[in-house]
């Protein structure tokens, strides 16, 4: 592993910390797509995407790798990193680590043939990333909601990993938390934690009660009928991956505020998020 050469291409603050950490541990690291934050890179070689990939044995791409199906997710880059045939060819023969690998495979049949490892599919990664996301979501609520969590009625839609961390955090701060879930087993789990578990139908009938509504479901669960019943002062927070689960047109029509919150670990806890990625990648490499 000490002789491995890494390329870290695209991504946000997580990938910057990741590249710096790999370099500090003695690896040779090439980076690309961080022009807006070049001063934060330490001990790595900054170059163009093709050179970075061609020089490396192991390539680490962001999670998700693309949001438009055409370019690499690289919010800190000054230019578009095209997911074209040239970039794909440079990845051939490399060990390519990426979160949500299915999004890269969907770009073209050529990308589907690459040697891809999905670090985002690891249960350990998913649990630790969900915890970091929950903390980031709490920070977003405190920053944008005009009230306090304490004493507020809060609805979370969906009962996945993020909810399992976020709901107890909000309750510990004095919020009255309800969780809408489809499966009776999920509702039972929430009830066992001492919080209110409800169906989506009941949530829709009571939606005006909630000051904060947090969606974690990547499907249209907060539709126009749901939005139309909301208090105009309520805050919506979207945590689900694209396309999300909130009817944004209905929110615009009613002037309901929506906080789109992708990549919260990169925004609020890049050091921890980078460590999670690194440990997952190293574990996959060690397991062969």
């Amino acid at each position: 592993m000490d002789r491995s050469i890494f390329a870290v291409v695209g991504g946000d603050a997580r990938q910057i910390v990741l590249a710096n950490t790999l370099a500090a541990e003695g690896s040779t690291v090439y980076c690309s797509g961080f022009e807006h934050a070049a001063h934060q890179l330490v001990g790595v070689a900054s170059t163009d995407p093709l050179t970075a990939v061609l020089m490396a044995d192991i390539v680490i791409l962001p999670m998700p790798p693309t949001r438009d199906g055409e370019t690499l997710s690289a919010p800190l880059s000054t230019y578009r990193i095209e997911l074209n045939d040239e970039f794909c060819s440079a990845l051939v023969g490399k060990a390519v680590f990426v979160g949500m690998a299915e999004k890269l495979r969907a770009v073209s049949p050529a990308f589907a043939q690459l040697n891809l490892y999905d670090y985002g599919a690891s249960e350990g990664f998913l649990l630790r990333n969900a915890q970091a996301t929950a903390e980031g979501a709490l920070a977003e609520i405190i920053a944008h909601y005009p009230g306090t969590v304490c004493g507020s009625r809060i609805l979370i839609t969906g009962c996945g990993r993020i909810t399992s961390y976020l709901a107890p955090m909000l309750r510990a701060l004095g919020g009255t938390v309800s969780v809408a879930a489809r499966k009776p087993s999920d509702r039972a789990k929430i009830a066992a934690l001492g919080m209110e578990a409800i169906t989506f139908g009941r949530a829709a009938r009571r939606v005006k009660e909630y000051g904060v509504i947090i969606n974690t479901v990547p499907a249209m669960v907060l539709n126009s009928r749901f939005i139309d019943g909301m208090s105009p002062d309520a805050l919506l927070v979207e945590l689900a991956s694209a396309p999300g689960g909130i009817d944004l047109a209905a929110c615009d029509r009613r002037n309901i505020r929506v906080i789109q919150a992708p990549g919260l670990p990169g925004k609020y806890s890049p050091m921890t998020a980078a460590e999670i990625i690194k440990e997952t990648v190293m574990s996959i490499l060690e397991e062969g």
Side-chain angles (χ1 to χ4, degrees):
M1 282 304 304
D2 291 341
R3 294 188 295 274
S4 295
I5 301 174
F6 290 86
V8 180
V9 183
D12 52 30
R14 289 171 284 191
Q15 280 70 36
I16 290 177
V17 177
L18 174 63
N20 290 345
T21 301
L22 290 169
E25 292 177 351
S27 296
T28 299
V29 183
Y30 291 88
C31 276
S32 189
F34 303 104
E35 292 78 21
H36 289 304
H39 63 285
Q40 297 179 30
L41 294 168
V42 179
V44 307
S46 295
T47 183
D48 64 273
L50 290 178
T51 298
V53 170
L54 290 170
M55 294 295 291
D57 307 309
I58 299 166
V59 179
I60 303 178
L61 301 179
M63 175 179 178
T66 181
R67 297 189 184 279
D68 60 9
E70 298 177 356
T71 60
L72 191 71
S73 295
L76 299 177
S77 179
T78 57
Y79 54 88
R80 289 164 55 91
I81 301 177
E82 301 286 345
L83 294 175
N84 53 25
D85 290 343
E86 188 177 22
F87 186 77
C88 185
S89 295
L91 293 170
V92 173
K94 314 291 182 178
V96 182
F97 288 85
V98 60
M100 302 173 73
E102 70 277 3
K103 291 186 177 294
L104 192 59
R105 292 189 181 100
V107 171
S108 75
F111 278 95
Q113 298 302 312
L114 294 173
N115 187 23
L116 300 181
Y117 297 89
D118 193 341
Y119 59 76
S122 161
E123 185 63 20
F125 174 92
L126 290 168
L127 287 171
R128 294 181 65 191
N129 197 65
Q131 184 176 34
T133 299
E135 289 191 18
L138 178 58
E140 291 284 332
I141 293 165
I142 292 171
H144 296 287
Y145 182 53
T148 59
V149 171
C150 182
S152 293
R153 296 189 64 83
I154 301 167
L155 173 67
I156 305 176
T157 53
C159 188
R161 300 176 186 89
I162 295 172
T163 298
S164 69
Y165 290 111
L166 181 57
M169 286 181 190
L170 294 168
R171 185 182 64 168
L173 287 174
T176 300
V177 182
S178 301
V179 178
R182 295 193 186 283
K183 295 180 181 178
S185 57
D186 286 338
R187 294 196 295 272
K189 180 172 67 175
I190 290 298
L193 293 173
M195 286 169 284
E196 183 183 42
I198 58 177
T199 63
F200 278 90
R202 189 176 180 195
R205 290 191 295 272
R206 291 174 43 188
V207 64
K208 198 164 188 175
E209 299 176 13
Y210 302 107
V212 179
I213 300 174
I214 305 147
N215 178 57
T216 69
V217 181
M220 186 58 70
V221 292
L222 303 186
N223 55 29
S224 60
R225 184 170 65 88
F226 196 102
I227 302 300
D228 286 343
M230 288 179 58
S231 164
D233 298 322
L235 175 70
L236 271 171
V237 182
E238 178 65 273
L239 299 183
S241 57
I246 299 173
D247 188 331
L248 297 178
C251 291
D252 286 342
R253 174 169 49 79
R254 289 212 57 218
N255 201 29
I256 298 288
R257 189 172 189 189
V258 181
I259 302 300
Q260 298 278 7
L264 289 178
K267 180 178 180 180
Y268 288 105
S269 51
M271 182 173 67
T272 298
E275 184 65 22
I276 296 169
I277 295 172
K278 183 178 77 71
E279 288 183 1
T280 306
V281 169
M282 294 305 179
S283 177
I284 294 171
L285 288 169
E286 288 170 5
E287 292 173 0

